[in-house]
Structure formats: C-alpha cells, structure tokens
Amino acid sequence: MAELAREFIDSRELNRRGLWQDGTGLWHEVRLLRAGVGPHGALQGAVIAERPCALPYELTTREIDVITHVALGDSNPQIAAALVLSVRTVTTHLEHIFAKLGCESRTRLTTKALAEGLCRLLI
C-alpha cells in the first residue's frame, strides 16, 4: 500500500479509485486523494481510504484483470499476452464481463470501470 501511495503522490492525478488485492488474497476498495499542497503547488502527501470488499457484480479476479487491461486501452491479443491466455479466452472473459456489467462496448466498459473503481490498482 505504501508503494501505491508513493506512486500516486508522484503522479499528477487528483484522485484514484480502484481495487487492491492484499498478500492474503483479500480484496479492498481503495481511494487515494491529493493532500497537503505546499509552496508552488507541490504535493506533500495523500489521503488513503480503504475498506475490505467482495468483488462487485460477481466478477472474478481474472475478469478484474481483463477489465483493467481494457481500461488501459489494450487489445485482446495484448491482454492475452500480458495474462498468458489465449485470445479466445480473453474474448470469452469479455463476453461474461459485458453481460455482468450490462455493457455493449469496450468504451462503455472502460467508462463504467473507471467511474465505479472496478480496475485493479497497479503499481
């Protein structure tokens, strides 16, 4: 969590929201906010709010990984390579994700994932 906070502080983001899986496999909803702006607008720190949670929409861990890559703009072949899956398996995961979230396109999926914090927080 500390590494995630340091990376956020170094970014230009005002806030970040997403899912984080701890070392024991438990999921947490995490929100990071800029805090303590100093001279010349330099960020001094971050506020982190965290709470344990179940994965929303009955999503699986692998589906969260696929959603995260879609939100990053990756194509199905790129997702397959990153997650060591076949392109067909990625396509099947996306079909399940679209059905669970009621989305009809990658654009709508990305919008919903970012708005609702459905992406895995990456360091």
Side-chain angles (χ1 to χ4, degrees), residues 50-66:
E50 169 275 325
R51 70 175 181 90
C53 68
L55 291 178
Y57 299 100
E58 298 182 12
L59 293 165
T60 66
T61 297
R62 185 55 88 186
E63 289 169 342
I64 293 295
D65 291 337
V66 171

Side-chain angles (χ1 to χ4, degrees), residues 3-19 30-37 41-48 71-72 113-115 117 119-123:
E3 189 174 341
L4 179 64
R6 278 191 294 277
E7 190 275 329
F8 173 72
I9 290 168
D10 291 340
S11 77
R12 293 182 177 210
E13 295 173 84
L14 296 176
N15 61 66
R16 187 183 299 175
R17 178 180 175 197
L19 299 167
V30 178
R31 293 176 187 228
L32 298 101
L33 303 169
R34 285 189 176 269
V37 177
L43 177 63
Q44 302 298 315
V47 174
I48 301 173
L72 290 170
L114 294 175
C119 294
R120 183 189 285 264
L121 290 174
L122 303 171
I123 299 171

Side-chain angles (χ1 to χ4, degrees), residues 24-121:
T24 67
L26 296 176
W27 285 95
H28 304 262
E29 179 183 340
V30 178
R31 293 176 187 228
L32 298 101
L33 303 169
R34 285 189 176 269
V37 177
H40 310 293
L43 177 63
Q44 302 298 315
V47 174
I48 301 173
E50 169 275 325
R51 70 175 181 90
C53 68
L55 291 178
Y57 299 100
E58 298 182 12
L59 293 165
T60 66
T61 297
R62 185 55 88 186
E63 289 169 342
I64 293 295
D65 291 337
V66 171
I67 290 170
T68 302
H69 281 278
V70 169
L72 290 170
D74 292 349
S75 66
N76 287 9
Q78 289 171 319
I79 296 169
L83 300 179
V84 191
L85 301 170
S86 72
V87 174
R88 179 66 194 136
T89 299
V90 171
T91 302
T92 299
H93 282 308
L94 280 169
E95 290 168 0
H96 294 162
I97 292 165
F98 287 151
K100 288 178 180 182
L101 273 61
C103 295
E104 66 287 340
S105 70
R106 294 171 87 94
T107 301
R108 179 66 185 121
L109 172 61
T110 297
T111 301
K112 185 174 186 83
L114 294 175
E116 296 186 21
L118 301 178
C119 294
R120 183 189 285 264
L121 290 174

